[in-house]
Coordinates of all heavy atoms in Angstrom, one line a residue:
A31 N 16.6 -22.2 -31.9 CA 18.1 -21.9 -31.9 C 18.5 -21.4 -30.6 O 17.8 -21.0 -29.7 CB 18.3 -20.7 -33.0
P58 N 9.8 -20.6 -31.1 CA 8.8 -20.3 -32.2 C 8.0 -19.1 -32.0 O 7.8 -18.8 -30.8 CB 7.9 -21.6 -32.2 CG 8.9 -22.7 -31.5 CD 9.8 -22.0 -30.6
D83 N 25.8 -7.7 -31.3 CA 26.6 -8.8 -31.9 C 25.8 -10.0 -31.7 O 25.7 -10.9 -32.6 CB 27.9 -8.8 -31.2 CG 28.9 -9.7 -31.9 OD1 28.5 -10.1 -33.1 OD2 29.9 -10.2 -31.4
M89 N 20.6 -14.3 -35.7 CA 19.9 -14.2 -36.9 C 20.5 -15.2 -38.0 O 19.9 -15.8 -38.7 CB 20.0 -12.8 -37.6 CG 19.0 -11.8 -36.9 SD 18.8 -10.4 -37.9 CE 20.5 -9.7 -38.1
L102 N 6.0 -8.8 -36.2 CA 7.3 -8.4 -35.6 C 8.1 -7.5 -36.6 O 8.8 -6.6 -36.3 CB 8.1 -9.6 -35.2 CG 7.5 -10.5 -34.3 CD1 8.3 -11.7 -33.8 CD2 7.2 -9.7 -32.9
H128 N 9.4 -2.0 -22.5 CA 10.8 -1.9 -22.7 C 11.4 -3.1 -23.6 O 12.3 -3.1 -24.4 CB 11.7 -1.7 -21.5 CG 11.1 -0.5 -20.7 ND1 11.1 0.8 -21.2 CD2 10.6 -0.4 -19.4 CE1 10.7 1.6 -20.3 NE2 10.3 0.9 -19.2
A133 N 13.8 -4.9 -28.7 CA 13.8 -5.7 -29.8 C 13.7 -5.0 -31.1 O 14.3 -5.3 -32.1 CB 12.7 -6.7 -29.8
A185 N 3.3 -12.7 10.0 CA 3.8 -13.8 10.8 C 3.9 -13.1 12.2 O 3.7 -13.8 13.2 CB 5.2 -14.2 10.3
R195 N -3.3 -14.1 23.4 CA -4.3 -15.2 23.8 C -3.8 -15.8 25.1 O -4.6 -16.1 25.9 CB -4.5 -16.2 22.6 CG -5.5 -17.2 22.9 CD -5.5 -18.3 21.8 NE -4.2 -19.1 22.0 CZ -3.9 -20.1 22.7 NH1 -4.9 -20.3 23.7 NH2 -2.8 -20.7 22.8
L212 N -14.0 -17.1 46.4 CA -15.4 -16.5 46.8 C -16.3 -17.8 47.2 O -17.0 -17.7 48.1 CB -16.0 -15.7 45.7 CG -15.5 -14.4 45.3 CD1 -16.2 -13.7 44.2 CD2 -15.4 -13.4 46.6
P257 N -25.2 1.7 47.7 CA -24.6 3.1 47.5 C -23.1 2.8 47.3 O -22.5 2.0 47.8 CB -24.9 3.9 48.8 CG -26.0 3.1 49.4 CD -26.0 1.6 49.0
I268 N -16.0 -7.2 41.8 CA -17.1 -8.0 41.2 C -17.8 -7.0 40.1 O -18.2 -7.4 39.0 CB -18.0 -8.5 42.2 CG1 -17.2 -9.6 42.9 CG2 -19.3 -9.0 41.5 CD1 -18.2 -10.3 44.1
G320 N -10.3 4.6 24.6 CA -9.4 5.6 24.0 C -8.9 6.7 25.1 O -8.3 7.6 24.7
R383 N 3.3 -5.7 22.1 CA 3.7 -7.2 22.5 C 4.2 -7.1 23.9 O 5.0 -6.5 24.3 CB 4.7 -7.7 21.5 CG 4.1 -7.8 20.0 CD 5.1 -8.5 19.2 NE 5.2 -9.9 19.5 CZ 5.9 -10.8 18.6 NH1 6.4 -10.4 17.5 NH2 6.0 -12.1 19.0
E476 N -28.3 7.4 7.5 CA -27.1 7.6 6.8 C -26.5 6.2 6.2 O -25.9 6.1 5.1 CB -26.0 8.2 7.7 CG -26.4 9.7 8.0 CD -25.4 10.2 9.1 OE1 -24.5 9.4 9.6 OE2 -25.6 11.4 9.5
A561 N -8.5 -14.7 -3.0 CA -7.7 -15.1 -4.1 C -8.6 -15.7 -5.2 O -8.3 -15.3 -6.5 CB -6.7 -16.1 -3.7

Side-chain angles (χ1 to χ4, degrees):
D83 191 18
M89 279 197 305
L102 301 180
H128 305 302
R195 186 187 66 80
L212 292 176
I268 289 174
R383 296 183 68 168
E476 295 174 0

